[in-house]
Amino acid sequence: MAQQKTRSLSVELLGAQNIVGINYDSRFKGNSGFGYRVGLGYGYGNTSGLFDQKINGVGVPLELNYLLGKKNSKLELGFGASLGVYQVKETIGYVEDTWWYPGGENTDETSPKPKIRNYHPIHD
C-alpha cells in the first residue's frame, strides 16, 4: 500500500518573510524524506545609523528539505534562498556646518549645503 504525499499550504504573518507570506510545502514521496517549499511574500525593514535604509519588496522563497524520524514528531533539515525584487531607499547622514559626510565626499547635488558664516570683528 503506497503512502500518499503530504502537502500543506500555510499563511504566515510577521514570520520568515517579515510581513506576510504564503507557502506551499510538499514531499516528493510519502510523508517523510525529501520535499520542497515554494512561496510568495512581502517584506519591509528599516535600519538606522549613519546610513538610514528603508527596504521593501516581494520575495519568492525556495527551499529543499528533508524530514528525519519515523513517528509523528520529525526533524526538518533544509536549505534555500529567497529570490525577489527589493527597493532600497538610503539616506546619508550629514553633519551640519561642516563639509563632512560619513563615508565619502559631498557628491550628492541634493544634499543640504553647509552654512558658511564669515566672522568680521568690529575694530575700534
Side-chain angles (χ1 to χ4, degrees):
M1 189 166 164
Q3 287 184 332
Q4 249 184 313
K5 284 200 284 187
T6 302
R7 299 178 189 147
S8 67
L9 186 65
S10 62
V11 175
E12 64 182 21
L13 296 173
L14 303 175
Q17 296 177 48
N18 195 303
I19 299 293
V20 66
I22 186 166
N23 298 297
Y24 175 76
D25 190 284
S26 182
R27 303 286 105 211
F28 290 116
K29 249 199 230 180
N31 63 2
S32 64
F34 283 103
Y36 62 93
R37 181 173 74 149
V38 296
L40 181 66
Y42 173 77
Y44 175 82
N46 266 339
T47 63
S48 63
L50 292 177
F51 299 96
D52 294 340
Q53 291 182 330
K54 293 183 180 182
I55 303 167
N56 65 18
V58 176
V60 178
L62 305 171
E63 179 185 295
L64 287 174
N65 52 47
Y66 187 83
L67 294 179
L68 289 172
K70 297 193 183 286
K71 298 186 180 187
N72 289 340
S73 297
K74 298 186 185 331
L75 173 66
E76 179 180 346
L77 303 173
F79 66 93
S82 183
L83 309 174
V85 177
Y86 301 96
Q87 178 183 12
V88 177
K89 184 176 180 182
E90 186 173 77
T91 306
I92 299 173
Y94 173 74
V95 180
E96 190 174 350
D97 292 336
T98 70
W99 288 98
W100 185 71
Y101 284 77
E105 296 291 325
N106 180 5
T107 57
D108 185 0
E109 294 294 324
T110 62
S111 296
K113 302 300 180 212
K115 297 176 187 172
I116 300 174
R117 297 185 181 138
N118 295 322
Y119 177 71
H120 298 288
I122 299 174
H123 297 286
D124 292 306

